[in-house]
Structure formats: C-alpha cells, structure tokens
Amino acid sequence: MSATSHDVAHGHEHSQGFIRRWLMSTSHKDIGTLYLVTALIALFSGGTMAMVIRAELFQPGIQLVDPYFFNQMTTLHGLIMIFGAVMPAFVGLANWMIPMMVGAPDMALPRMNNFSFWLLPVGLLLIASTLLMPGGGPAGGWTMYPPLVLQTGQAFPFLIFGIHILGISSIMGAINVIATVLNMRAPGMTLMKMPMFVWTWLITAFLLIAVMPVLAGAITMLLTDQYFGTTFFNAAGGGDPALYQHIFWFFGHPEVYIMILPAFGIISEIVPTFARKPLFGYASMVYATASIAFLSFIVWAHHMFTVGMPLAGELFFMYATMLIAVPTGVKVFNWVATMWRGAMTFETPMLFAIGFIILFTIGGFSGLMLAIAPADFQYHDTYFVVAHFHYVLVTGALFSIIAAVYYWLPKWTGVMYNERLGKTHFWLSVIFVNVLFFPQHFLGLAGMPRRIPDYSVQFADWNMVSSIGGFGFGLTQLLFAYLVIRSMSGRGEPASARVWEGARGLEWEVPSPAPHHTFETPPEVR
Amino acid sequence: MAHAQGGGYYVPDYSYWPLVASAGLACMGAGGAGYLQGLSWGPYALSIGLAIMVVVFFGWFGSVIREGLSGLYSDQVDVSFRWGMIWFIFSEVMFFGAFFGALFYARMLSVPWLGGADPATSKVLWDSVALNWPTAGPGMTGLEFEPMGAWPLPSINTIILLSSGVTLTIGHHALKAGERGKLILAMWATILLGASFVSLQAFEYFEAWTHMNLQLDTGIYGSTFFMLTGFHGAHVIMGTIMLTVIALRCMRGHFNPDHHFGFEAVAWYWHFVDVVWLGLFVFVYIL
C-alpha cells in the first residue's frame, strides 16, 4: 500500500493520543495488539524460566539453583506459558482477525474487551510477584494439587486470586467472541461460510465459558480449605485430595483443547492459501472440531490413571480418550488432502504450518500411548509426559501462533517481514525443538521422573542433548522478536492488500495495514 | 465522541472504566491475599479495591444507561447484550456445578470409601469407622452436630423464592402491557421477598452456628452445606441489589414496553438464582 493510505489509516488513531489509544481503547485491533505484545513478553519470561530448568538439568547433580527454586521455576513456567503466553496470544489473534473475517466493525462488546485485556497483566503480575515474597513462589506444580500446594507460604492466596482474575478475563473474552460471531456477521456470512479460524474460536469460547468457572470453583475450595477450615480435599473430614484432581482436570482437559482448537483454525487458514486450493472437507472440519470439544468433557481422568479409580472408570476414560484420535485424524487428513496436488509455495507461515502438522501429529501419537491405561502406569509423571505435552504445546500451539503472526503481520503492519530471516527462524526452530524434546521421550521411557532437579547418571547424555536444544531454541526466538519488532516499527517492503497470492477471505479485501475501522458498512458476502 | 457505525452498530470510542475496574480488582486481589496472610496493608487495599468497584458499578453502568436512554443502542446491540448475559449466566451455572460436583463426589464416593466400601482406603486410614451422610468425616467422629433439615426454614424459603419469581413475571407482563403502577408494585414485592429470603437464611446460619454446632469447618457436610448455600446467598443478595436498581429505574420511567433489556437481564439472573436454589433444596436439604 502507498504511504498516503498509511497516513490516512493512522490519522484517526494519532488524534486519540497515546493514553486514550492504548489504555482506554475500544478498538479490537489495538486491544489485539496489546494481547499479542503481552503474550510475547510472557513467552520470554516463561522461556527464561525454561532456560533455568534446562541449565540445571544440563548435568546430573544440583548444579545452579536450589531445588526449591527449581520447583518454583517448573510451576511458574507452566502457569505463565499457559495463562500468559498461549491463551492470550490466541485471544489477541481472535481480537485482530474475527471482526475482519466476519465483516464486523469491531468486537460486539468493545469496553468489556478492554476490561478483559487489562485484567491479564493484573493476574500475571499477582502470580509473578510471588517470586519476591518470603518463602518464594508456588512450587507444587502448575496443577496446584493439594495437599502439597497448601504448603505454599505467603504466595498461596496471591496465586489463587491471580488465577481467579485471569479466569474472569478469559470468560469475558470468550463471551465477547461468541457475541461477535453470533451477532456481528456481515449479511450473507452464514455459519457454514465462516472461516475455519472463526469456527474453531467459537467452539473454543464455549469451552472457556464452560470450564474456567470450574477451575475457579476448584481453587476457591483450595482457599477455603487453607483458611476457613473446610475439608473438601481432606480425608479426615470426609473429603478427598483426588476430588481436587477430578475438578481440576474437568477444567484441565478442555483447557488443553482451548490451547489447540484455535491452532487448528490457523492451520486451516494457512494451508489453503499456500496450496492455492480451498480447504478440503470444510464441513467435516467443523464437525470434527465440535466432536473434539464434546469429547474433551468426558476424558479428564486420563490424567489420573494412577491416582486410584474404579476399573470401570479407568476403562471408560481410556476408550473415550482414544476416540479423540478419530476427529483429530480427520483434521490431519484434511490438511494433507488440501495440499495434495496443490500449487504449493513455502513461505514462512506455510513452513510453520507444515511443521505443525507433522510435529503435532507426533505429539498426538505419544498422547495415544499415554491414553492406554496400563501403559500409563509406566509413563505417568515421567519425561515421556513432558515430551508429549511439549510436542502439542510448543510445536503445536506455539508453532501455530508463530505461523499466524507471520501470516497476518503484513496485514497488521502494512510491511512484509524479512522472508530470508523468517525461513532461518523456522529451520533453526524446527531443528532445535526436536533436539530439545525428542530425547525426552527416551528419558521418560527409561524412567526419568519429571519435576525433579537431579537425576541418575544414566540419564546424563540425553539431558545434555536436550538442554543444548533448549538453549538453541530459546536463542532462536530472539530472531522472532527482532522480526516482529522490525515490522511493528514499519520497516520492510510495503505489503499489498492481498499479501499472499492464494489468500481468500474478507480480511484480505481491505488495505494493509488494515484501517482503524474496517467495516463501517458491512460487506456483502455471496 | 462515540459514533454509530454503518448499519447502526454502536462502538464507543474510548473509556477509562475498564482500566479503573482492573485497578479495582487488582487492589481487591492483592488486598484479599494480604488480608488472608495477615499482612498489615491487606485490609486497606481490600477496602480501597471494593470502593473502586462500587464507583465502577455506578460509573460504568451509569454511562451504559445514559447511552441506552439516548437511543444509541440498535436492535443489533441489544442482541449482543443478550448473548453476553446468557453466556455469563452459563458461566455461573458451571461455577455452581463445581460445588455440586464436590457434594456428589463426597456423598457417592469419598464418604462411602472412607466408611468401608473400599477396604483398601478404609483399612489404611480409619479402620472400622462407619460413616453415614451427613458426616463430618472419619477423623472428626467426636464432633457432634445437628444436620440442617428441610423443614421449616428451607421450605419456607423455597416458597418465598418461587413466589418472587412469580411476582417478577407479573411485573414483566405489566411492563409489556404498560401498566406502570402494577409494575412498580410487583418489583418492590419481588425485592421484599428476596430480602426476606436473605434474612431467613441469615437466621438459619445463626441457628446452625450457635445451636446446632454446624459450622464451616464441620467436615465435608459443613463445607458443602455452607459453601453451596453461601455462594447462593451471595447471589441472592447481588440479585436483590440488581432488582432494586431496576425498580428505581422503573419508577423513573427508563423502560418502555418494547425496549427493556436491563429489566430482562436482571429477571434472567433472578430466575437462574431461583433454579440453583431448587437444586440446593433437593440435594442439600431433602436428600
């Protein structure tokens, strides 16, 4: 786009002034940017903690940090990456893209949108502040199982209220997404014409509203058990510590789909663009997403096979979990079929999307192994589990977020990123991430337990390999930050409206950068 | 400087309320946590946070009411508000679901297991302790308490709350028929019934606490009883405040027969609170 339209697009924003624009915003684009920037900061904060973990595990023995601090690092790494990086990044993408994709002037409830965002730093800072408190941060794992988590010191209520506030933020964000999708679509944009990203987010938003309150209930019970003498999780009073795990994972399993369904949507946008073919099996994609969401409510106890459950429960949760492979397989098949005989090119978003399809599928397969209840007795709480969920969360969720950023960054900023550096970022990432996580399968199968700062010497070699991969992967992401900041400061080749030759959809009909108010008059969708 | 978008969708330009509300919740979160940990600044921060939230409720809802009265909200905006309220209530349903789930788990699984149905559990922990609901748990067998029966207070409260749903519906019909006097009367009747419910519930708690030795720390029975009825009671108090605001707005003539979403949202909320009570009445008091 020309410099003139760039000025026009920004004229209105500048007249608002910095404080009004960024602190009191009701613009889905500015709020989306705030979400994404916050997620990037959280990614590097949580990533720094991962570097501490991998540095400690570089060699056997206690090397660098106190074991208690190591436990704080594993706990906060999990919490910050989930609640601070992955979920907010998806909400940021939803904010930016959903109104443009459905032809709406903004999100349905713009002020509540800003409220959702500003609760995010509040909740994250409450949780992060615990590191500075007497007794340090929470160290019982991100899952906060009692009775261990009840031994947390001063940090405990700050952790609980921090998560409450993040939950309120997520619920309001999800309500906004549903109201936008159901009420703000342009004339002619029927549900079955919506882009897959919008569909997956609609279903994700439903999951969020259904399960974040359940997490709030679980941690409220932790709080009253600690301070008000209730005995929900205390067997002496007729309660059960395993009850917490049931409630937590009733939230926790839909939560993992909250972190992957939008990723499925992103991949379903990118693959057709660079294969220059429409998405194969659109309707089956929609139904597969809905099936995965439904199944996510009836599989929670597969996280608890070793905790003690009636045999019927073990079997039910094992088979229900395996069923998820069917709709997920439909999706992978559809992406591959979309690429089949397509006129493919391999720009950075496509590289990350293909990386996602292959590596996420590896994570899916290790998930199937973990779903087998008798086998899980061997794998439970080992590095095999760590390898599994990092394949689905790093090469799954995070790769999809990175792919989305490269894909839509020219639309947001009006300039192209540096393609050569983008590709470099991909290849370094994909090599290092496998060096980092693939050996953890071997460590887990050999019996190395997770969340322990020291290990037997027979695990030394693969841990060192894994740590080297970790440092390499961490450093590589600095390149990503550089490319994003470069584009945000407007440096780079001007981007056209369509940006990608094969791109289809309403967001590509407007200039790059997208004007402050995209669809003041709703577009007609045929 | 707000402007209606093409198609008439109202997008407010900017607002400081979200930021102020976030600051309020930040004070409440940090202050509440500090208070629980006995830190000196805790109660102050908590109070400041609560005060900020009160200001936010007046300010934010006040501007929404003004915008509504000045006709900025099209039918499409109305639908957004409806979806917002529906899904908010759904999230509340799921929140109560967690506590109902805890109650069912305790009654169907953990208490029977601890009482001998699962020998692997009871042998290791409290062997040969017979447990029957209601119980304070195997480790507190010396604790004597009287469970809360369904008669008389909870049954009376059930009638009161169900009647309040009826009066509210009468008010809604009156509003749609344009019968102002009847509407205002029905609203205040509803509020009176809500306040009666809360008063009787407070009396029930007082009785339980002082005469029946039934307290929050009376094992799993006390935990589930007070957490379920307590969160419900908090919602009734909130609902009564909301009804009062709506009643005052009715008296000021804010609503017309065709356009009164504020009224409907509060009515939905009140009926939701009603339905939760029916669940409580069945599973906490009767069964």
Side-chain angles (χ1 to χ4, degrees):
Chain A
M1 266 294 118
S2 66
T4 330
S5 72
H6 187 267
D7 287 344
V8 171
H10 281 83
H12 182 79
E13 294 150 30
H14 288 158
S15 70
Q16 276 189 317
F18 181 86
I19 289 183
R20 279 186 184 174
R21 179 173 178 197
W22 294 112
L23 270 58
M24 304 177 188
S25 178
T26 50
S27 153
H28 71 102
K29 299 189 181 74
D30 290 343
I31 295 171
T33 303
L34 287 169
Y35 264 111
L36 288 165
V37 170
T38 307
L40 191 65
I41 294 168
L43 180 74
F44 279 95
S45 311
T48 308
M49 294 172 182
M51 295 301 105
V52 173
I53 293 167
R54 279 326 311 175
E56 175 56 47
L57 294 172
F58 190 74
Q59 285 187 327
I62 301 299
Q63 308 289 339
L64 295 170
V65 294
D66 176 72
Y68 184 60
F69 185 71
F70 180 90
N71 292 345
Q72 294 174 37
M73 288 292 104
T74 56
T75 304
L76 289 172
H77 166 74
L79 287 168
I80 288 176
M81 286 304 202
I82 290 168
F83 292 108
V86 173
M87 288 168 68
F90 281 134
V91 181
L93 293 169
N95 253 299
W96 249 106
M97 301 319 300
I98 287 177
M100 290 210 283
M101 286 176 146
V102 302
D106 206 291
M107 294 292 278
L109 304 159
R111 279 177 292 218
M112 193 175 83
N113 198 17
N114 200 28
F115 191 24
S116 305
F117 169 73
W118 281 106
L119 287 179
L120 177 64
V122 168
L124 289 175
L125 286 174
L126 272 179
I127 292 171
S129 70
T130 60
L131 276 175
L132 308 171
M133 288 176 188
W142 84 275
T143 50
M144 303 174 282
Y145 283 178
L148 185 59
V149 74
L150 300 178
Q151 296 172 22
T152 309
Q154 188 171 314
F156 180 71
F158 292 88
L159 169 71
I160 300 295
F161 289 142
I163 292 173
H164 270 135
I165 287 175
L166 294 177
I168 296 169
S169 160
S170 295
I171 291 168
M172 288 194 300
I175 288 174
N176 227 331
V177 167
I178 294 192
T180 307
V181 174
L182 294 183
N183 189 35
M184 305 283 285
R185 300 194 310 281
M189 174 71 78
T190 58
L191 284 175
M192 291 309 273
K193 275 186 191 165
M194 292 196 308
M196 269 311 292
F197 181 68
V198 179
W199 253 116
T200 54
W201 240 112
L202 179 66
I203 293 167
T204 301
F206 167 74
L207 291 180
L208 274 167
I209 301 173
V211 301
M212 293 308 292
V214 176
L215 174 68
I219 62 176
T220 303
M221 289 181 222
L222 283 179
L223 194 81
T224 57
D225 268 17
Q226 179 80 319
Y227 294 103
F228 301 105
T230 59
T231 58
F232 287 107
F233 310 132
N234 179 355
D240 186 351
L243 167 61
Y244 173 84
Q245 301 186 21
H246 281 291
I247 306 176
F248 179 85
W249 286 112
F250 185 84
F251 145 80
H253 203 80
E255 167 70 12
V256 305
Y257 293 118
I258 287 164
M259 293 191 286
I260 207 65
L261 293 185
F264 291 165
I266 290 164
I267 301 307
S268 305
E269 299 296 328
I270 292 175
V271 168
T273 294
F274 296 98
R276 290 164 181 78
K277 275 176 63 192
L279 184 66
F280 183 89
Y282 171 88
S284 68
M285 282 298 213
V286 173
Y287 298 133
T289 310
S291 309
I292 293 171
F294 167 73
L295 288 171
S296 76
F297 285 104
I298 54 166
V299 296
W300 76 88
H302 67 214
H303 297 267
M304 314 165 47
F305 281 141
T306 63
V307 91
M309 221 189 310
L311 181 64
E314 303 261 346
L315 291 173
F316 173 80
F317 287 112
M318 173 169 89
Y319 291 126
T321 304
M322 289 180 161
L323 268 182
I324 296 177
V326 176
T328 314
V330 167
K331 288 188 160 291
V332 173
F333 174 83
N334 282 346
W335 292 321
V336 174
T338 305
M339 287 188 274
W340 175 253
R341 295 194 167 174
M344 294 216 289
T345 51
F346 299 92
E347 288 86 343
T348 311
M350 185 61 164
L351 288 175
F352 273 101
I354 294 173
F356 170 97
I357 295 170
I358 294 166
L359 297 173
F360 172 79
T361 305
I362 292 178
F365 283 142
S366 59
L368 264 180
M369 291 171 70
L370 288 161
I372 302 167
D376 181 71
F377 275 63
Q378 189 69 30
Y379 308 146
H380 186 91
D381 257 349
T382 68
Y383 257 82
F384 191 79
V385 178
V386 176
H388 157 69
F389 69 70
H390 280 96
Y391 263 86
V392 290
L393 276 174
V394 178
T395 59
L398 183 61
F399 266 35
S400 81
I401 292 165
I402 294 172
V405 169
Y406 283 119
Y407 185 55
W408 285 312
L409 199 56
K411 177 55 65 186
W412 302 336
T413 62
V415 293
M416 297 300 291
Y417 59 87
N418 183 319
E419 189 64 50
R420 176 189 291 271
L421 284 178
K423 284 182 172 149
T424 310
H425 174 222
F426 169 75
W427 285 110
L428 287 174
S429 289
V430 82
I431 291 166
F432 279 127
V433 85
N434 283 291
V435 175
L436 164 59
F437 292 122
F438 209 80
Q440 294 183 2
H441 291 111
F442 314 148
L443 290 167
L445 292 177
M448 179 171 162
R450 63 190 282 212
R451 292 173 168 167
I452 308 278
D454 192 5
Y455 50 82
S456 307
V457 285
Q458 77 264 29
F459 303 129
D461 294 348
W462 285 122
N463 265 298
M464 189 177 286
V465 171
S466 178
S467 286
I468 291 168
F471 302 142
F473 186 71
L475 287 173
T476 302
Q477 302 322 306
L478 295 174
L479 187 56
F480 177 57
Y482 166 75
L483 285 171
V484 169
I485 292 167
R486 191 168 177 276
S487 281
M488 284 178 74
S489 55
R491 279 178 290 152
E493 294 288 307
S496 67
R498 189 158 297 280
V499 183
W500 312 107
E501 187 196 34
R504 294 291 178 271
L506 286 177
E507 78 265 38
W508 308 109
E509 307 291 333
V510 298
S512 305
H516 199 236
H517 298 293
T518 314
F519 293 112
E520 303 220 4
T521 313
E524 194 76 32
V525 181
R526 275 163 287 121
Chain B
M1 269 290 288
H3 48 267
Q5 298 283 355
Y9 201 90
Y10 173 76
V11 179
D13 233 9
Y14 65 89
S15 169
Y16 47 79
W17 290 118
L19 198 66
V20 179
S22 301
L25 279 185
C27 287
M28 278 179 71
Y35 169 69
L36 289 173
Q37 280 296 323
L39 304 177
S40 58
W41 51 266
Y44 300 106
L46 181 59
S47 313
I48 292 170
L50 283 167
I52 294 175
M53 288 316 285
V54 171
V55 173
V56 167
F57 275 120
F58 275 96
W60 193 336
F61 286 127
S63 50
V64 171
I65 289 169
R66 276 192 300 280
E67 287 163 7
L69 290 177
S70 57
L72 285 167
Y73 296 156
S74 63
D75 289 347
Q76 200 188 2
V77 180
D78 206 57
V79 174
S80 289
F81 287 156
R82 279 162 202 278
W83 280 124
M85 193 66 196
I86 288 168
W87 289 102
F88 166 67
I89 290 175
F90 177 64
S91 79
E92 292 264 50
V93 169
M94 295 306 290
F95 180 76
F96 276 99
F99 290 89
F100 273 108
L103 175 69
F104 299 152
Y105 185 92
R107 293 188 62 167
M108 306 299 292
L109 299 173
S110 70
V111 167
W113 284 342
L114 289 163
D118 176 31
T121 302
S122 54
K123 277 267 184 296
V124 181
L125 295 172
W126 288 272
D127 200 6
S128 71
V129 171
L131 290 181
N132 284 305
W133 191 265
T135 178
M140 304 187 183
T141 39
L143 191 67
E144 291 291 332
F145 72 94
E146 197 185 327
M148 184 62 70
W151 183 261
L153 284 186
S155 300
I156 296 172
N157 256 347
T158 305
I159 295 167
I160 289 177
L161 210 52
L162 288 178
S163 315
S164 75
V166 174
T167 54
L168 186 58
T169 306
I170 292 172
H172 194 190
H173 284 289
L175 172 56
K176 285 207 254 187
E179 301 170 56
R180 238 176 97 82
K182 196 173 162 191
L183 161 68
I184 291 164
L185 196 66
M187 285 308 293
W188 287 109
T190 311
I191 293 161
L192 190 67
L193 289 167
S196 313
F197 176 93
V198 173
S199 312
L200 283 181
Q201 189 77 8
F203 179 65
E204 179 187 301
Y205 274 22
F206 175 76
E207 284 293 308
W209 212 270
T210 53
H211 297 138
M212 299 159 79
N213 199 30
L214 172 58
Q215 299 177 356
L216 190 53
D217 57 2
T218 310
I220 192 67
Y221 179 74
S223 305
T224 50
F225 175 80
F226 279 108
M227 292 298 281
L228 274 163
T229 57
F231 270 119
H232 177 264
H235 280 74
V236 178
I237 292 171
M238 199 64 215
T240 309
I241 295 170
M242 287 154 66
L243 284 170
T244 310
V245 173
I246 293 298
L248 294 172
R249 290 188 62 196
C250 288
M251 293 170 77
R252 286 194 185 182
H254 278 192
F255 301 115
N256 66 50
D258 310 311
H259 222 76
H260 49 262
F261 174 67
F263 182 101
E264 286 177 296
V266 172
W268 292 348
Y269 187 83
W270 193 253
H271 291 313
F272 147 73
V273 171
D274 222 350
V275 170
V276 172
W277 174 259
L278 288 181
L280 287 179
F281 188 61
V282 172
F283 292 110
V284 175
Y285 291 101
I286 294 183
L287 294 179

